[in-house]
Amino acid sequence: MTDRFVPIETLKAHQIVGLPPNVIFQATSNIRYYKLELFRLLIGTSSFKCIISDEIIVQRENYSKLPNTYNKNIKPKIGRYIGIDTKKMGKELTNNNNRGFYDEILKEYYSYFFETKKENHTTAFIHIYRILERIAICLPLVYAACSNDYKGVYNDFKKYILDDKTGELKVIQKFVSSFIDASILQSTVDIEIQPLQSNFHENHFNAIARFNLHESNTPFSQITFKYEKVLEFIIKVRNAYFHALTGSNNSFKADDIVYSQDFFKMINPLCCSWMSYLIIQVMKLELK
């Protein structure tokens, strides 16, 4: 056993009656369907256990929508979350297509939600960034494999994948701009800046605003982003915080991020929401 986290079924006995057996988490089963686990985790219908600490984490945020919503009650027919028949969903999500890719992404998400629950938000951000790096090339390729217009997809890919000067993270940014509807990319979301002792929240506000990626702001209390800028924001935060080069104007100084747990607690939900939405949109193509 190399897995640190295992899924826990949260649907009640009366709710799973009539559901396809392959969409139900069976405690006695040794078979893992990573794509199904990831899908249920990201639509907020899943719980999981850490086998080291025996803690159970409940995930109820539904990332199939923007902004994400909280599931007060889980729909037993899980396919309804994305408008598809649950039996068909179960058949497609339990095949072995791209199994290794979804295995890696799932483990990063389990770690993200676990660390978030433990209030380890700086560590949680690391897993957010690791997810971004893993999907940078793979997600466009999964999209291409599921497309009905191979010629059109190839022409799109030539613009950014076949260019030696384009790095992996640039690939995902350009891919998103061609895959997600412009109205969604242009829609906005707010980061609320929570007051901190000694006005440290002002430092954190300035640290976010320094990248000039935001659409608007209310000094020291709120900052607004278009979704199209979120991936670039994640990349810049990672580089500025984890590459603290002496003398570099791009790096965060100690006075910029006074308390990293509060800083990352503030930005992580936006980062997780946008990347999860992108992943679900590609997964939906596999369900067609």
Side-chain angles (χ1 to χ4, degrees), residues 39-45 61-64 71 78 81 280:
F39 179 77
R40 289 198 56 182
L41 185 68
L42 296 187
I43 63 172
T45 65
E61 295 294 335
N62 177 12
Y63 294 108
S64 68
N71 292 328
I78 302 169
Y81 283 92
I280 289 177

Side-chain angles (χ1 to χ4, degrees), residues 127-185:
H127 292 289
I128 284 288
Y129 190 80
R130 285 171 60 85
I131 293 169
L132 175 55
E133 286 198 321
R134 292 185 186 280
I135 69 173
I137 293 295
C138 293
L139 203 64
L141 293 177
V142 172
Y143 165 73
C146 298
S147 175
N148 293 322
D149 180 14
Y150 288 111
K151 183 177 180 180
V153 169
Y154 174 73
N155 288 333
D156 282 342
F157 273 31
K158 281 197 302 183
K159 292 185 294 187
Y160 39 87
I161 288 187
L162 301 182
D163 180 358
D164 292 338
K165 297 179 181 179
T166 302
E168 292 182 356
L169 297 176
K170 286 294 183 182
V171 169
I172 186 66
Q173 288 178 273
K174 292 185 177 182
F175 163 69
V176 167
S177 67
S178 65
F179 169 57
I180 300 298
D181 188 84
S183 63
I184 295 175
L185 293 171

